[in-house]
Amino acid sequence: AQTVTQSQPEMSVQEAETVTLSCTYDTSESDYYLFWYKQPPSRQMILVIRQEAYKQQNATENRFSVNFQKAAKSFSLKISDSQLGDAAMYFCAYRDSGAGSYQLTFGKGTKLSVIP
Amino acid sequence: DTEVTQTPKHLVMGMTNKKSLKCEQHMGHRAMYWYKQKAKKPPELMFVYSYEKLSINESVPSRFSPECPNSSLLNLHLHALQPEDSALYLCASSQDGFGGTGFYEQYFGPGTRLTVT
């Protein structure tokens, strides 16, 4: 079974600084998808970024980027120029590719605080 | 538009009540999901519907009964719940269904905060 590990239960960052959230996963599959979701206190899960395992290029979405190391099974999220609105719980998630593979395996989450 | 809507936002019910949660999406997604989320925990999958058919039931107690009346709508019927069922219930949808390719990300609704008294 796939597992996702987020080793940092809590982190904090100064406003305008950069922070990196860690995620490792375990799978025997060669093709899969990885996601970072953000859940602010308003509680809605928001998709931040996704990465297809077959793509070597790291995904980027504005201030959010990932460092995807397939061999090391590592998928970290970098947030640049942190803003107060970035404060939230961040979940790393894994999904097998292919039709019928619906399950998302989530990590336990990292609570990010942004200090003004 | 990547919007999934859920009603109600909050629900308080007694253990003998019957209530329903509603979820709607108009993105043409073929798969819809119910999750249960306890405080400070990740979401736990309950049910998956694909092309309006129940594909996955993660051994959820029968007091939770899902229904998918059409491709845009997903309901969760609640009956005789226990206090430990109090949680945030999240609905999600994704584009894929059987034979789908790409676009596997799930889009979540804002959730229904359920309290069972």
Side-chain angles (χ1 to χ4, degrees), chain A residues 16 19 90:
Chain A
V19 64
Y90 285 81

Side-chain angles (χ1 to χ4, degrees), chain B residues 60-89:
Chain B
V60 179
S62 60
R63 56 186 184 268
F64 294 91
S65 175
E67 178 195 18
C68 188
N70 59 57
S71 60
S72 300
L73 191 57
L74 186 66
N75 297 320
L76 186 62
H77 302 297
L78 314 172
H79 174 56
L81 295 191
Q82 303 297 309
E84 59 265 29
D85 296 322
S86 298
L88 180 66
Y89 288 84

Side-chain angles (χ1 to χ4, degrees), chain B residues 84-104:
Chain B
E84 59 265 29
D85 296 322
S86 298
L88 180 66
Y89 288 84
L90 294 166
C91 175
S93 69
S94 64
Q95 185 168 341
D96 61 324
F98 293 116
T101 57
F103 305 107
Y104 290 107

Side-chain angles (χ1 to χ4, degrees), chain A residues 33 35 37 39 42-45 47 50 89 91 95 97-104 106-108, chain B residues 9-10 33 37 41-43 45 50 56 58 88 96-97 99 103-106 108-111 113:
Chain A
Y33 296 84
F35 308 94
Y37 282 91
Q39 189 174 34
S42 64
R43 78 197 183 198
Q44 182 156 6
M45 294 277 284
L47 177 67
R50 72 166 180 172
M89 183 72 84
F91 291 101
R95 177 179 168 165
S97 68
S101 299
Y102 298 108
Q103 275 96 338
L104 272 180
F106 287 95
K108 291 187 176 181
Chain B
K9 288 186 178 180
H10 302 274
Y33 311 74
Q37 187 180 25
K41 299 287 187 181
L45 184 64
S50 178
I56 295 174
E58 291 286 6
L88 180 66
D96 61 324
F103 305 107
Y104 290 107
E105 57 265 33
Q106 294 180 21
F108 287 80
R113 175 75 64 191

Side-chain angles (χ1 to χ4, degrees), chain A residues 8 10-14 16-22 63-65 76-83 86 90 110-114:
Chain A
Q8 307 150 315
E10 295 189 24
M11 290 196 73
S12 62
V13 62
Q14 291 284 144
E17 296 296 310
T18 296
V19 64
T20 299
L21 308 184
S22 301
R63 298 183 294 108
F64 298 88
S65 61
S76 61
L77 175 69
K78 185 171 82 171
I79 306 173
S80 303
D81 185 26
S82 297
Q83 301 176 0
D86 295 333
Y90 285 81
T110 296
K111 183 179 180 181
L112 178 66
S113 301
V114 180

